[in-house]
Amino acid sequence: MSRWFFSIQLRLIVVFALVLVMALGSVSLYVGLAANREADQFDERLEEARAARVEQMISRLYSERQDWGELQAVVEQAGSLYDRRIVVTDSEGRIVADSHFRFGRPWIPRQRESRFMPIVSGNEEIGSLALAPSEIQETIAEPAISRVVSSLNRSLIWTGLAAGVGGILLVSLMSRRILTPVRELTLAAGRLGQGDLSQRVATSSRDEIGQLGATFNAMAEGLEGAERQRRSLMADVAHELRTPLSNIQGYLEAVRDGLLEPDNATIDTIYQQVLHLTRLVEDLRLLALADAGALSLSLQEESLQEVLQSSVASCRPRAEAKGVSVALSIPSEIPLVQMDRTRIAQVVSNLLDNAIFHTPQGGSVSVSAESLGSAVRIIVADTGEGIPPEDLPQVFERFYRVDPSRARTTGGTGLGLTIARQLVEAHRGTIRAESTPGRGSRFIFELPLA
Ligand code: ADP
């Protein structure tokens, strides 16, 4: 009950009823005023016509007889015919006939209520005529026109009542129809809030409520996707942690059971697994920070040349050990870039590590940069194995590896490119990969200058 009391449906009905009352009220007020004005004008014209007719009668009588002889009888007749007091005075102002003479009421001419008119015979004014309300009738009958107005008002009230009942019925039906999707939406949102992320609503209409439904569906879709991603991330992380942990466990059990000597080689193998775990945890921490938008960047105008030179220098020993050459080509006029030096160095070394790792002996890796006017472009290219086209769109996804078994045993966390993309995007830049399998890959990222 209280829910209905606060409902939009009730508000619509009340507003409709108010609009109806206001519309009918103003129509009946207008009709009343207009009818009264018309009635006044009609009365005026009628009174004028009556006076003119009486004047004609009297002036004809006078011109026939040249005296006021039978005037009293004629005036009495006209008075009762028109229900008016008719008083005739001669040119000297003496009363010569009064239709109400018999009733013995003195004649007091009242300017506002009476109509005065000169009586003309030939060209001579022979007297004057006054027409006044009769005063005799005891009860004053309701004027015809106001009867019309009140009957009109009565009809308006009945019509209004009928229209009101019909309208309220219509408004109830319409509002129920409009509000049904809102109720469905409320139910769906409630269930969504309780954790059922598969909730969707039907969006058949194109109006605001339809748009609300579509937005709700998009939100539910997003939440479901995020939840799916969260679950798969948990599963992926558990899976990634399990491999090095079970390796460590296996080695330690073998040492304990005397199957393996606890020599330097064994300890180093275990140590490598621990290093891998540490790297994985560190990468995950960085990604979690970037995901939460909590990655703090210390942005400064930096020389790209310096950053690229030091990244290339630090990876060169590894490349040379593998027999891969590394070249750097950067124009001297490349502008300074607003960036977090450490983060961009990490992007470049992630790309360089991958390039060296996937390039066989005798191959080459090159790092180059160019200015695009509003941005700078950095390209890390190699002549390695390349990436199959079907894998290319996924290489920036977390834990995505083109060859999972090989990559996991050789120490990659599967997060290097994901981190690179997050760091570049945190600088409002973009990153993409191009590759020809068997010929090499190019990783290209751009950083805006401003
Ligand atoms: P990983 O730790 O496995 O290197 P990344 O996120 O850095 O993870 O890379 C994802 C996958 O993309 C790699 O496993 C590899 O299969 C592929 N990849 C990345 N860089 C290259 C490259 N330069 N050449 C060939 N494949 C590459």
Side-chain angles (χ1 to χ4, degrees), residues 171-193:
V171 168
S172 310
L173 286 176
M174 281 295 291
S175 54
R176 182 178 289 261
R177 223 180 115 85
I178 292 171
L179 295 172
T180 303
V182 175
R183 281 190 204 106
E184 278 171 14
L185 207 65
T186 311
L187 282 178
R191 286 197 284 259
L192 190 87

PDB file of all heavy atoms in Angstrom, residues 171-193:
ATOM      1  N   VAL A 171      -4.864   6.391 -17.942  1.00  0.00           N
ATOM      2  CA  VAL A 171      -3.548   6.691 -17.363  1.00  0.00           C
ATOM      3  C   VAL A 171      -3.041   5.490 -16.564  1.00  0.00           C
ATOM      4  O   VAL A 171      -1.862   5.115 -16.646  1.00  0.00           O
ATOM      5  CB  VAL A 171      -3.625   7.952 -16.461  1.00  0.00           C
ATOM      6  CG1 VAL A 171      -2.360   8.109 -15.630  1.00  0.00           C
ATOM      7  CG2 VAL A 171      -3.814   9.181 -17.309  1.00  0.00           C
ATOM      8  N   SER A 172      -3.958   4.810 -15.814  1.00  0.00           N
ATOM      9  CA  SER A 172      -3.528   3.637 -15.033  1.00  0.00           C
ATOM     10  C   SER A 172      -2.996   2.560 -15.963  1.00  0.00           C
ATOM     11  O   SER A 172      -1.925   1.990 -15.724  1.00  0.00           O
ATOM     12  CB  SER A 172      -4.688   3.038 -14.246  1.00  0.00           C
ATOM     13  OG  SER A 172      -5.335   4.030 -13.555  1.00  0.00           O
ATOM     14  N   LEU A 173      -3.748   2.311 -17.050  1.00  0.00           N
ATOM     15  CA  LEU A 173      -3.320   1.251 -17.983  1.00  0.00           C
ATOM     16  C   LEU A 173      -1.989   1.602 -18.632  1.00  0.00           C
ATOM     17  O   LEU A 173      -1.065   0.790 -18.673  1.00  0.00           O
ATOM     18  CB  LEU A 173      -4.379   1.051 -19.070  1.00  0.00           C
ATOM     19  CG  LEU A 173      -5.637   0.320 -18.597  1.00  0.00           C
ATOM     20  CD1 LEU A 173      -6.670   0.250 -19.711  1.00  0.00           C
ATOM     21  CD2 LEU A 173      -5.279  -1.089 -18.139  1.00  0.00           C
ATOM     22  N   MET A 174      -1.927   2.880 -19.113  1.00  0.00           N
ATOM     23  CA  MET A 174      -0.714   3.312 -19.819  1.00  0.00           C
ATOM     24  C   MET A 174       0.494   3.254 -18.889  1.00  0.00           C
ATOM     25  O   MET A 174       1.552   2.760 -19.258  1.00  0.00           O
ATOM     26  CB  MET A 174      -0.868   4.757 -20.313  1.00  0.00           C
ATOM     27  CG  MET A 174      -1.677   4.905 -21.568  1.00  0.00           C
ATOM     28  SD  MET A 174      -0.877   4.135 -22.962  1.00  0.00           S
ATOM     29  CE  MET A 174       0.507   5.221 -23.193  1.00  0.00           C
ATOM     30  N   SER A 175       0.310   3.802 -17.640  1.00  0.00           N
ATOM     31  CA  SER A 175       1.455   3.868 -16.738  1.00  0.00           C
ATOM     32  C   SER A 175       1.882   2.458 -16.338  1.00  0.00           C
ATOM     33  O   SER A 175       3.066   2.182 -16.194  1.00  0.00           O
ATOM     34  CB  SER A 175       1.158   4.721 -15.516  1.00  0.00           C
ATOM     35  OG  SER A 175      -0.007   4.260 -14.906  1.00  0.00           O
ATOM     36  N   ARG A 176       0.871   1.549 -16.204  1.00  0.00           N
ATOM     37  CA  ARG A 176       1.227   0.167 -15.873  1.00  0.00           C
ATOM     38  C   ARG A 176       2.102  -0.418 -16.985  1.00  0.00           C
ATOM     39  O   ARG A 176       3.110  -1.054 -16.752  1.00  0.00           O
ATOM     40  CB  ARG A 176      -0.060  -0.657 -15.737  1.00  0.00           C
ATOM     41  CG  ARG A 176       0.196  -2.098 -15.341  1.00  0.00           C
ATOM     42  CD  ARG A 176      -1.122  -2.777 -15.200  1.00  0.00           C
ATOM     43  NE  ARG A 176      -1.815  -2.285 -14.019  1.00  0.00           N
ATOM     44  CZ  ARG A 176      -1.827  -2.935 -12.856  1.00  0.00           C
ATOM     45  NH1 ARG A 176      -1.218  -4.074 -12.758  1.00  0.00           N
ATOM     46  NH2 ARG A 176      -2.461  -2.443 -11.816  1.00  0.00           N
ATOM     47  N   ARG A 177       1.677  -0.111 -18.243  1.00  0.00           N
ATOM     48  CA  ARG A 177       2.414  -0.609 -19.408  1.00  0.00           C
ATOM     49  C   ARG A 177       3.834  -0.040 -19.449  1.00  0.00           C
ATOM     50  O   ARG A 177       4.795  -0.735 -19.687  1.00  0.00           O
ATOM     51  CB  ARG A 177       1.671  -0.172 -20.682  1.00  0.00           C
ATOM     52  CG  ARG A 177       1.562  -1.235 -21.712  1.00  0.00           C
ATOM     53  CD  ARG A 177       0.823  -0.649 -22.884  1.00  0.00           C
ATOM     54  NE  ARG A 177       1.714  -0.610 -24.028  1.00  0.00           N
ATOM     55  CZ  ARG A 177       1.914  -1.630 -24.844  1.00  0.00           C
ATOM     56  NH1 ARG A 177       1.265  -2.750 -24.663  1.00  0.00           N
ATOM     57  NH2 ARG A 177       2.738  -1.541 -25.856  1.00  0.00           N
ATOM     58  N   ILE A 178       3.905   1.299 -19.162  1.00  0.00           N
ATOM     59  CA  ILE A 178       5.225   1.954 -19.214  1.00  0.00           C
ATOM     60  C   ILE A 178       6.116   1.454 -18.080  1.00  0.00           C
ATOM     61  O   ILE A 178       7.310   1.259 -18.246  1.00  0.00           O
ATOM     62  CB  ILE A 178       5.053   3.499 -19.122  1.00  0.00           C
ATOM     63  CG1 ILE A 178       4.367   4.010 -20.380  1.00  0.00           C
ATOM     64  CG2 ILE A 178       6.380   4.190 -18.926  1.00  0.00           C
ATOM     65  CD1 ILE A 178       3.956   5.449 -20.290  1.00  0.00           C
ATOM     66  N   LEU A 179       5.479   1.231 -16.906  1.00  0.00           N
ATOM     67  CA  LEU A 179       6.308   0.942 -15.728  1.00  0.00           C
ATOM     68  C   LEU A 179       6.639  -0.535 -15.555  1.00  0.00           C
ATOM     69  O   LEU A 179       7.495  -0.878 -14.743  1.00  0.00           O
ATOM     70  CB  LEU A 179       5.618   1.482 -14.470  1.00  0.00           C
ATOM     71  CG  LEU A 179       5.498   3.018 -14.456  1.00  0.00           C
ATOM     72  CD1 LEU A 179       4.661   3.485 -13.307  1.00  0.00           C
ATOM     73  CD2 LEU A 179       6.877   3.664 -14.396  1.00  0.00           C
ATOM     74  N   THR A 180       5.991  -1.388 -16.332  1.00  0.00           N
ATOM     75  CA  THR A 180       6.318  -2.824 -16.210  1.00  0.00           C
ATOM     76  C   THR A 180       7.812  -3.081 -16.443  1.00  0.00           C
ATOM     77  O   THR A 180       8.453  -3.754 -15.628  1.00  0.00           O
ATOM     78  CB  THR A 180       5.451  -3.652 -17.175  1.00  0.00           C
ATOM     79  OG1 THR A 180       4.095  -3.369 -16.866  1.00  0.00           O
ATOM     80  CG2 THR A 180       5.701  -5.139 -17.030  1.00  0.00           C
ATOM     81  N   PRO A 181       8.415  -2.519 -17.523  1.00  0.00           N
ATOM     82  CA  PRO A 181       9.855  -2.753 -17.694  1.00  0.00           C
ATOM     83  C   PRO A 181      10.689  -2.204 -16.545  1.00  0.00           C
ATOM     84  O   PRO A 181      11.729  -2.770 -16.210  1.00  0.00           O
ATOM     85  CB  PRO A 181      10.203  -2.024 -18.990  1.00  0.00           C
ATOM     86  CG  PRO A 181       8.967  -1.481 -19.535  1.00  0.00           C
ATOM     87  CD  PRO A 181       7.831  -1.802 -18.651  1.00  0.00           C
ATOM     88  N   VAL A 182      10.203  -1.109 -15.919  1.00  0.00           N
ATOM     89  CA  VAL A 182      10.962  -0.552 -14.783  1.00  0.00           C
ATOM     90  C   VAL A 182      10.949  -1.549 -13.623  1.00  0.00           C
ATOM     91  O   VAL A 182      11.966  -1.778 -12.964  1.00  0.00           O
ATOM     92  CB  VAL A 182      10.358   0.806 -14.337  1.00  0.00           C
ATOM     93  CG1 VAL A 182      11.052   1.320 -13.092  1.00  0.00           C
ATOM     94  CG2 VAL A 182      10.476   1.823 -15.449  1.00  0.00           C
ATOM     95  N   ARG A 183       9.741  -2.181 -13.418  1.00  0.00           N
ATOM     96  CA  ARG A 183       9.672  -3.185 -12.339  1.00  0.00           C
ATOM     97  C   ARG A 183      10.605  -4.356 -12.646  1.00  0.00           C
ATOM     98  O   ARG A 183      11.317  -4.852 -11.767  1.00  0.00           O
ATOM     99  CB  ARG A 183       8.230  -3.679 -12.183  1.00  0.00           C
ATOM    100  CG  ARG A 183       7.414  -2.675 -11.401  1.00  0.00           C
ATOM    101  CD  ARG A 183       6.067  -3.183 -10.991  1.00  0.00           C
ATOM    102  NE  ARG A 183       5.226  -2.013 -10.806  1.00  0.00           N
ATOM    103  CZ  ARG A 183       4.275  -1.638 -11.628  1.00  0.00           C
ATOM    104  NH1 ARG A 183       3.982  -2.353 -12.691  1.00  0.00           N
ATOM    105  NH2 ARG A 183       3.592  -0.538 -11.400  1.00  0.00           N
ATOM    106  N   GLU A 184      10.584  -4.773 -13.916  1.00  0.00           N
ATOM    107  CA  GLU A 184      11.462  -5.894 -14.300  1.00  0.00           C
ATOM    108  C   GLU A 184      12.920  -5.541 -14.056  1.00  0.00           C
ATOM    109  O   GLU A 184      13.702  -6.337 -13.554  1.00  0.00           O
ATOM    110  CB  GLU A 184      11.278  -6.229 -15.782  1.00  0.00           C
ATOM    111  CG  GLU A 184      10.078  -7.108 -16.028  1.00  0.00           C
ATOM    112  CD  GLU A 184       9.777  -7.260 -17.507  1.00  0.00           C
ATOM    113  OE1 GLU A 184      10.641  -6.911 -18.332  1.00  0.00           O
ATOM    114  OE2 GLU A 184       8.662  -7.709 -17.815  1.00  0.00           O
ATOM    115  N   LEU A 185      13.237  -4.278 -14.389  1.00  0.00           N
ATOM    116  CA  LEU A 185      14.602  -3.792 -14.215  1.00  0.00           C
ATOM    117  C   LEU A 185      14.985  -3.810 -12.737  1.00  0.00           C
ATOM    118  O   LEU A 185      16.091  -4.209 -12.371  1.00  0.00           O
ATOM    119  CB  LEU A 185      14.673  -2.362 -14.759  1.00  0.00           C
ATOM    120  CG  LEU A 185      16.006  -1.882 -15.260  1.00  0.00           C
ATOM    121  CD1 LEU A 185      16.427  -2.664 -16.475  1.00  0.00           C
ATOM    122  CD2 LEU A 185      15.925  -0.413 -15.631  1.00  0.00           C
ATOM    123  N   THR A 186      14.038  -3.384 -11.877  1.00  0.00           N
ATOM    124  CA  THR A 186      14.310  -3.362 -10.432  1.00  0.00           C
ATOM    125  C   THR A 186      14.588  -4.778  -9.936  1.00  0.00           C
ATOM    126  O   THR A 186      15.540  -5.008  -9.174  1.00  0.00           O
ATOM    127  CB  THR A 186      13.104  -2.768  -9.690  1.00  0.00           C
ATOM    128  OG1 THR A 186      12.732  -1.563 -10.345  1.00  0.00           O
ATOM    129  CG2 THR A 186      13.408  -2.486  -8.245  1.00  0.00           C
ATOM    130  N   LEU A 187      13.736  -5.730 -10.405  1.00  0.00           N
ATOM    131  CA  LEU A 187      13.928  -7.125  -9.977  1.00  0.00           C
ATOM    132  C   LEU A 187      15.289  -7.643 -10.446  1.00  0.00           C
ATOM    133  O   LEU A 187      16.044  -8.236  -9.660  1.00  0.00           O
ATOM    134  CB  LEU A 187      12.833  -8.000 -10.587  1.00  0.00           C
ATOM    135  CG  LEU A 187      11.472  -7.924  -9.898  1.00  0.00           C
ATOM    136  CD1 LEU A 187      10.462  -8.789 -10.623  1.00  0.00           C
ATOM    137  CD2 LEU A 187      11.616  -8.382  -8.451  1.00  0.00           C
ATOM    138  N   ALA A 188      15.590  -7.363 -11.739  1.00  0.00           N
ATOM    139  CA  ALA A 188      16.849  -7.857 -12.310  1.00  0.00           C
ATOM    140  C   ALA A 188      18.034  -7.247 -11.567  1.00  0.00           C
ATOM    141  O   ALA A 188      19.014  -7.943 -11.253  1.00  0.00           O
ATOM    142  CB  ALA A 188      16.923  -7.531 -13.789  1.00  0.00           C
ATOM    143  N   ALA A 189      17.950  -5.927 -11.250  1.00  0.00           N
ATOM    144  CA  ALA A 189      19.059  -5.254 -10.559  1.00  0.00           C
ATOM    145  C   ALA A 189      19.240  -5.866  -9.173  1.00  0.00           C
ATOM    146  O   ALA A 189      20.368  -6.051  -8.707  1.00  0.00           O
ATOM    147  CB  ALA A 189      18.787  -3.761 -10.454  1.00  0.00           C
ATOM    148  N   GLY A 190      18.096  -6.187  -8.507  1.00  0.00           N
ATOM    149  CA  GLY A 190      18.162  -6.814  -7.182  1.00  0.00           C
ATOM    150  C   GLY A 190      18.885  -8.149  -7.257  1.00  0.00           C
ATOM    151  O   GLY A 190      19.778  -8.432  -6.451  1.00  0.00           O
ATOM    152  N   ARG A 191      18.507  -8.951  -8.279  1.00  0.00           N
ATOM    153  CA  ARG A 191      19.131 -10.282  -8.409  1.00  0.00           C
ATOM    154  C   ARG A 191      20.614 -10.145  -8.773  1.00  0.00           C
ATOM    155  O   ARG A 191      21.456 -10.903  -8.297  1.00  0.00           O
ATOM    156  CB  ARG A 191      18.385 -11.113  -9.446  1.00  0.00           C
ATOM    157  CG  ARG A 191      17.038 -11.610  -8.903  1.00  0.00           C
ATOM    158  CD  ARG A 191      16.501 -12.738  -9.731  1.00  0.00           C
ATOM    159  NE  ARG A 191      15.965 -12.240 -10.970  1.00  0.00           N
ATOM    160  CZ  ARG A 191      14.673 -12.054 -11.213  1.00  0.00           C
ATOM    161  NH1 ARG A 191      13.777 -12.323 -10.278  1.00  0.00           N
ATOM    162  NH2 ARG A 191      14.258 -11.601 -12.365  1.00  0.00           N
ATOM    163  N   LEU A 192      20.899  -9.119  -9.601  1.00  0.00           N
ATOM    164  CA  LEU A 192      22.298  -8.865  -9.984  1.00  0.00           C
ATOM    165  C   LEU A 192      23.116  -8.529  -8.732  1.00  0.00           C
ATOM    166  O   LEU A 192      24.222  -9.010  -8.536  1.00  0.00           O
ATOM    167  CB  LEU A 192      22.354  -7.709 -10.976  1.00  0.00           C
ATOM    168  CG  LEU A 192      23.685  -7.470 -11.643  1.00  0.00           C
ATOM    169  CD1 LEU A 192      23.802  -8.342 -12.886  1.00  0.00           C
ATOM    170  CD2 LEU A 192      23.833  -6.017 -12.059  1.00  0.00           C
ATOM    171  N   GLY A 193      22.493  -7.684  -7.874  1.00  0.00           N
ATOM    172  CA  GLY A 193      23.164  -7.289  -6.631  1.00  0.00           C
ATOM    173  C   GLY A 193      23.437  -8.485  -5.740  1.00  0.00           C
ATOM    174  O   GLY A 193      24.388  -8.492  -4.961  1.00  0.00           O
TER     175      GLY A 193
END
